[in-house]
Amino acid sequence: MQPSVDFWYELASTYSFLAAERIEALAEERGVAVRWRPFLLGVIFKAQGYDTTPFNIIEAKGRYMWRDMERWCDRLGVPLARPEPFPQNSLLAARTALALPDDARPEFSKAIFRAEFCEGRSISDPAVIADAVRQTGFELETAVAAAQTDLVKHALRKETDEAQRLGVFGAPTIVTPDGELFWGNDRLEEALDWARGRK
């Protein structure tokens, strides 16, 4: 049986963006399947007593993160633009991601991340959402309508609750079938190797 991992990501997260750019190629090299699972990190932050990201609360940490993003984007050959405000409101984008079929979710999510962190666009803007859906080839009206349903809204709440139950406290987080958690873009290789049994 092919090993697999759950890729928990927040569409307003800088390091989730980097992980989304890298995970498919790394997983393919190792023969690992990836399940893309968007959730709302802000809900978890609130449960931890934060009203925003720690990158905004701790000035030195935020300064380091943006410099680290510059280095990583240079390494990956992609531009970096700081969205305003940061973090963005990712609710509509996350609902739309869950409304799409599983095989369209990665392309949509990467398009959202690039609009946000490469172009500085607002991911709460329906036009940005529509552009990202079009890039998947999925029917736009179907995706937009589905994202507004109670079924999808409930599904996103359930996914966020499940992330919290698993102990996810930041994004991205990779969870392997044996329940091991790996937090951060810089843990992708380790997480995928662990899923293959190379511990």
Side-chain angles (χ1 to χ4, degrees):
M1 181 183 294
Q2 184 184 24
S4 64
V5 297
D6 281 353
F7 171 41
W8 292 92
Y9 63 100
E10 157 65 65
L11 284 161
S13 159
T14 50
Y15 287 113
S16 291
F17 158 55
L18 296 179
E21 288 288 314
R22 303 173 61 229
I23 195 168
E24 288 176 311
L26 292 170
E28 186 176 353
E29 285 172 7
R30 292 161 171 80
V32 176
V34 178
R35 184 178 174 202
W36 289 59
R37 303 189 70 171
F39 73 107
L40 297 177
L41 183 56
V43 173
I44 292 176
F45 279 165
K46 283 181 182 174
Q48 296 168 344
Y50 301 124
D51 60 2
T52 185
T53 171
F55 293 128
N56 286 348
I57 296 169
I58 305 168
E59 184 179 348
K61 188 170 188 174
R63 189 167 53 247
Y64 172 85
M65 181 273 289
W66 286 114
R67 180 61 188 132
D68 194 37
M69 288 294 295
E70 289 172 355
R71 292 191 299 258
W72 267 102
C73 287
D74 184 59
R75 182 184 311 171
L76 295 173
V78 295
L80 175 64
R82 296 190 192 188
E84 290 292 342
F86 174 77
Q88 293 273 296
N89 181 336
S90 62
L91 180 61
L92 179 59
R95 285 177 177 168
T96 306
L98 278 180
L100 289 167
D102 291 349
D103 59 353
R105 192 168 301 131
E107 196 60 37
F108 170 81
S109 300
K110 289 186 293 182
I112 288 292
F113 280 131
R114 291 169 186 164
E116 179 180 16
F117 293 115
C118 297
E119 301 168 19
R121 300 174 72 191
S122 170
I123 63 170
S124 63
D125 183 346
V128 173
I129 303 291
D131 286 348
V133 172
R134 289 189 193 98
Q135 291 183 47
T136 71
F138 193 74
E139 210 275 321
L140 176 61
E141 285 72 22
T142 301
V144 169
Q148 304 302 326
T149 64
D150 288 341
L151 184 65
V152 168
K153 292 175 183 178
H154 179 65
L156 181 58
R157 284 194 296 271
K158 278 186 66 177
E159 285 291 272
T160 302
D161 289 346
E162 176 65 3
Q164 198 163 20
R165 185 193 70 78
L166 290 169
V168 171
F169 58 87
T173 295
I174 308 296
V175 181
T176 58
D178 60 355
E180 202 75 20
L181 271 67
F182 296 85
W183 170 52
N185 166 59
D186 57 348
R187 292 294 182 265
L188 289 188
E189 290 88 345
E190 183 182 356
L192 295 167
D193 286 341
W194 185 281
R196 290 178 63 204
R198 295 179 58 189
K199 300 179 180 177

